[in-house]
Amino acid sequence: MLQEFKTFIAQGNVLDLAVGVVIGAAFGKITTSLVEDIINPILGILIGGVDFTQLKIVLKEAVDKTPEVSIKYGNFLQTLIQFLIIAWVIFLIVKVANRLRLSEKKPV
């Protein structure tokens, strides 16, 4: 069973997936920083100094020790912006990879 596991792990697909997961995690951190530290402050200034993470609709105010109930749509907007940036970059990477693949297939 141990030998079978070693063979499975040594396959190219598993190693490619592992590398992809590690790079994806690092890319996620870069994208999060881009959105939180660069894009959101600029957008905040453009819409009047609003901090996206503070945008919310309060459904019920806090009373004594009971916390408020609110819809925090600012966090959702921030996550949506991050997703759109990641999706756009992945689209561009796939587009470049397809273009390179097509140029390799053309006879010289």
Side-chain angles (χ1 to χ4, degrees):
M1 184 181 271
L2 186 59
Q3 183 59 37
E4 190 177 355
F5 180 72
K6 285 181 183 178
T7 303
F8 171 75
I9 292 298
Q11 289 178 344
N13 293 343
V14 175
L15 294 176
D16 292 344
L17 178 61
V19 169
V21 167
V22 170
I23 290 174
F27 183 72
K29 289 180 182 181
I30 291 169
T31 304
T32 299
S33 177
L34 174 67
V35 171
E36 290 177 359
D37 301 330
I38 297 173
I39 293 175
N40 281 352
I42 293 170
L43 288 176
I45 289 171
L46 293 176
I47 63 170
V50 177
D51 178 9
F52 277 108
T53 60
Q54 301 303 315
L55 296 176
K56 62 184 174 182
I57 298 171
V58 178
L59 301 174
K60 184 177 178 186
E61 295 289 335
V63 178
D64 296 323
K65 292 184 178 181
T66 305
E68 75 177 10
V69 178
S70 61
I71 298 172
K72 298 176 183 175
Y73 68 93
N75 286 333
F76 174 74
L77 289 175
Q78 183 167 326
T79 302
L80 182 63
I81 292 168
Q82 288 172 340
F83 168 77
L84 292 174
I85 290 171
I86 291 170
W88 179 253
V89 170
I90 290 172
F91 167 75
L92 293 176
I93 290 170
V94 169
K95 189 173 179 162
V96 168
N98 286 340
R99 191 173 287 163
L100 290 174
R101 211 174 299 156
L102 288 175
S103 67
E104 288 176 359
K105 290 182 180 180
K106 289 182 182 178
V108 178

